[in-house]
Amino acid sequence: MKQSGRYLLLLPGLLFLAIFMLIPLVLTISSTFVEDGNFSVSGYLNFLTDAYFLDILWTTLYVALLTTFCCIVLAFPVAYYISRVKGSKKALLLMLAIFPLLVSPIVRSFSWMIILGRNGLLNDFLLSIGMIQEPLTILYTPVAVAIGLVHLFLPLMIVTLVGVMENIDTDYIRAAESLGASKTTAFLKVMFPLCMPGLLIGCTLVFVGSFTAYTTPALLGGQQRVISTFLYQNAITLNDWNTAAMIATIMIVLTFFITGIFQKLATKLNPGGS
Amino acid sequence: MNQQNHFALGLITFSIFLFLLGPLAIIFVASFEPTSVLQFPPTGFSLEWYQNIFTVSAFMDTFKLSMFVSLLGNLCALLLGIPAAYALSRFDFRGKGILNAIFVSPILIPGTVLGFTFLRYLIVSYSLPLEAALFIGHTILMLPFIIRVIASSMANFDFSIEEAAMNLGSSRIGAFFRVIIPNIKSGIIAGVLIAFLESFNNVDISVFLTGPGLSTLPIQMLTYVEHYFDPTVAAISVLLMIFTAVFMFLIERLVGLSHFTKR
């Protein structure tokens, strides 16, 4: 086929994306740099010094960091276990990890409303065993959002890590052990570094995912705003489209920035690898 | 790994799975609560809330719209995506990397950002009706999933069979429909299922493109939960989980679950 024919196959999809997504995105971003017909960044200067917005940005970053950290800690043993068991047990465990990944985020966040509410399961339990006297306020706090997000993204981290660990030759570990390394040392010095590229992919997915998530903060965050619910509020409730466009631009920039950092780290740690 | 370590690791894994699946089991049990206050454990057994789904017209209407948008958007994403996936996995040409990046870009851009730009430009600047914008938004959302899954099943296809068909007199288009499509059929179906789930469950984009009188099922559930806390949403959740389980089973049969562990 001639070169032009190859491009022709891509054309319908490209045109569709250009007209309906790329042009609107470019216009959205460029609109934030114009004020009274001139180039201006004053909108951003006001925005990035506004205490209310900064508060939202920090909450979002804090929740995303907390979520990523918890996902690393919880996913590692699970992924290691899954990659070491064999046969039908492994298939079953993988299925059980992938199932929640496919279930609607609304359903998953909703389940935490039942658990974390003032009259929820957790408070009932803690009251009944006498650990607390008054019901705790967990729902509608950043911690509730983080719990919901860990539940949302943990399966993603697990399956990503399993994918990497499966391809690591266990002979390396055995070699390290036969050369005198303890199990812990072998894991930390051999297994862990080999997992790094996969771990960084997982971290990118979890961090960017929690940073931009809408459903979970909307259900579990209550009045507590994060950046995506703030975007929604400005666009739909307040009809302030200039502010909404700026938040959207900041979200795109931060998302690409974070992804870029993780990718750089991954290539640095694994220069020759995939 | 020695026995003791293995056992400890198994125990940790078990408790983390409890964290992942326990909440879903709780919804399942709580959906049978007979009173109008969602609670766990339930005070009895009733299917009233399952009936409620079918009598509250908003749920049925939004379910139909969700099905319609996801199915039609899927078809459109297939028409745009199959030729693109074929070109991207079959040929080498200039700008391939960039073109590839453009086709997966809808995954990389935050959903709420996409939703907002669709609202602002498709509805306001292009004056498209809400239904059309919702449909276009979902097509764009599904396109990367379709392209990725289909391109990866094409990567496993031996294109010399296509050459053979053409040497035997088949046209390029004929070879595509008679040789390639039947061979990557399961990949196409899996792509359709995965894209459908993404679209059917989508909130981030839909929330900007729905309003009074036009809503998708997840958005209707979100609105309902804000006003009521009865077991209706738990009952819908159970039906959605069953639906998801069936989809997962089909995907496992068609391309295997290793699709999810590859990045």
Side-chain angles (χ1 to χ4, degrees), chain B residues 33-49:
Chain B
E33 164 66 37
T35 72
S36 64
V37 184
L38 184 63
Q39 52 193 316
F40 184 92
T43 54
F45 179 87
S46 152
L47 289 173
E48 184 190 341
W49 306 103

Side-chain angles (χ1 to χ4, degrees), chain A residues 7 19 28 74 106 121 151 245, chain B residues 16 20 40 94 117 121 126:
Chain A
Y7 293 110
I19 295 170
T28 302
L74 296 176
I106 297 235
L121 198 58
H151 190 242
Chain B
I16 293 171
L20 281 180
F40 184 92
R94 246 178 342 143
T117 56
Y121 289 94
Y126 298 177

Side-chain angles (χ1 to χ4, degrees), chain A residues 180-244:
Chain A
S182 70
K183 288 215 180 304
T184 325
T185 316
F187 182 83
L188 287 178
K189 292 227 161 143
V190 180
M191 189 72 184
F192 192 73
L194 287 170
C195 290
M196 268 322 258
L199 189 65
L200 285 169
I201 295 172
C203 286
T204 319
L205 296 171
V206 174
F207 192 87
V208 170
S210 0
F211 183 75
T212 58
Y214 175 82
T215 316
T216 305
L219 281 173
L220 304 179
Q223 293 303 308
Q224 188 75 50
R225 301 250 168 255
V226 294
I227 200 157
S228 57
T229 54
F230 190 52
L231 169 63
Y232 176 80
Q233 186 196 25
N234 274 283
I236 303 288
T237 321
L238 306 174
N239 249 313
D240 182 352
W241 286 11
N242 290 329
T243 306

Side-chain angles (χ1 to χ4, degrees), chain B residues 63 67 196-197 200 238-248:
Chain B
F63 172 74
M67 285 300 274
F196 183 89
L197 276 180
F200 195 82
V238 170
L239 296 184
L240 286 179
M241 281 192 269
I242 295 171
F243 182 74
T244 310
V246 173
F247 266 56
M248 188 176 81

Side-chain angles (χ1 to χ4, degrees), chain A residues 1 3 6-7 9-14 16-25 27-28 31-32 73-82 84-85 89 91 93-108 110-115 121 124 147 150-152 154-156 158-160 162-164 166 177 183 201 205 208 212-215 218-219 228-229 231-232 235-236 240-242 244-249 251-252 255-256 259, chain B residues 1-2 5-7 9-13 16-17 19-24 26-27 30 38-41 76 79-81 83-88 91-95 99 102-106 108-114 116-122 124 126 128 135-136 139-140 143 172 194 197-198 201 203-204 207-208 218-219 221-222 225-226 229-231 233-234 236-238 240-242 244-245 247-249 251-252 257-258 260-263:
Chain A
M1 193 186 281
Q3 282 267 337
R6 299 170 189 185
Y7 293 110
L9 290 170
L10 297 164
L11 202 62
L14 270 183
F16 194 86
L17 284 177
I19 295 170
F20 296 122
M21 187 186 84
L22 296 174
I23 294 173
L25 270 175
L27 291 174
T28 302
S31 75
T32 61
V73 172
L74 296 176
F76 236 96
V78 178
Y80 190 63
Y81 185 77
I82 294 180
R84 286 293 158 262
V85 294
K89 193 173 175 188
L93 287 175
L94 259 182
M95 263 194 180
L96 291 178
I98 289 165
F99 176 67
L101 198 60
L102 299 174
V103 170
S104 160
I106 297 235
V107 173
R108 289 192 272 163
F110 177 67
S111 68
W112 287 99
M113 291 177 78
I114 306 175
I115 298 169
L121 198 58
D124 274 359
I147 295 175
V150 171
H151 190 242
L152 202 63
L154 183 59
L156 201 57
I158 294 175
V159 295
T160 308
V162 170
V164 186
E166 273 181 339
E177 281 169 12
K183 288 215 180 304
I201 295 172
L205 296 171
V208 170
T212 58
Y214 175 82
T215 316
L219 281 173
S228 57
T229 54
L231 169 63
Y232 176 80
I236 303 288
D240 182 352
W241 286 11
N242 290 329
M246 263 190 284
I247 302 167
T249 308
M251 281 176 81
I252 294 176
T255 304
F256 279 67
T259 316
Chain B
M1 213 183 316
N2 62 37
N5 277 346
H6 191 75
F7 180 74
L9 202 56
L11 207 63
I12 295 171
T13 304
I16 293 171
F17 270 110
F19 165 76
L20 281 180
L21 300 166
L24 302 179
I26 288 169
I27 294 192
L38 184 63
Q39 52 193 316
F40 184 92
C76 191
L79 291 176
L80 300 170
Y86 176 70
L88 289 169
F91 305 117
D92 260 320
F93 46 85
R94 246 178 342 143
L99 289 167
I102 291 176
F103 276 104
V104 295
S105 66
L108 305 174
I109 295 160
T112 44
V113 170
L114 283 180
F116 170 65
T117 56
F118 293 156
L119 168 71
R120 186 170 171 183
Y121 289 94
L122 303 193
V124 178
Y126 298 177
L128 292 172
F135 159 73
I136 291 169
T139 303
I140 290 175
L143 196 54
R172 180 146 223 137
I194 292 167
L197 276 180
E198 283 296 323
N201 290 334
V203 173
D204 307 33
V207 79
F208 286 89
I219 305 303
M221 287 166 74
L222 205 60
V225 171
E226 275 167 18
F229 204 65
D230 68 34
V233 172
I236 299 177
S237 299
V238 170
L240 286 179
M241 281 192 269
I242 295 171
T244 310
F247 266 56
M248 188 176 81
F249 176 76
I251 295 168
E252 144 72 8
L257 291 177
S258 67
F260 294 96
T261 56
K262 277 183 285 185
R263 294 275 155 216

Side-chain angles (χ1 to χ4, degrees), chain A residues 54-72 138 140-154 203 205-218 220-222 224-229 258:
Chain A
L54 286 180
D55 193 39
I56 287 168
L57 191 60
W58 294 142
T59 308
T60 317
L61 285 171
Y62 165 72
V63 166
L65 265 177
L66 189 62
T67 305
T68 312
F69 177 76
C70 293
C71 281
I72 297 171
I138 309 171
Y140 308 134
T141 64
V143 172
V145 178
I147 295 175
L149 288 173
V150 171
H151 190 242
L152 202 63
F153 292 115
L154 183 59
C203 286
L205 296 171
V206 174
F207 192 87
V208 170
S210 0
F211 183 75
T212 58
Y214 175 82
T215 316
T216 305
L220 304 179
Q224 188 75 50
R225 301 250 168 255
V226 294
I227 200 157
S228 57
T229 54
I258 295 161

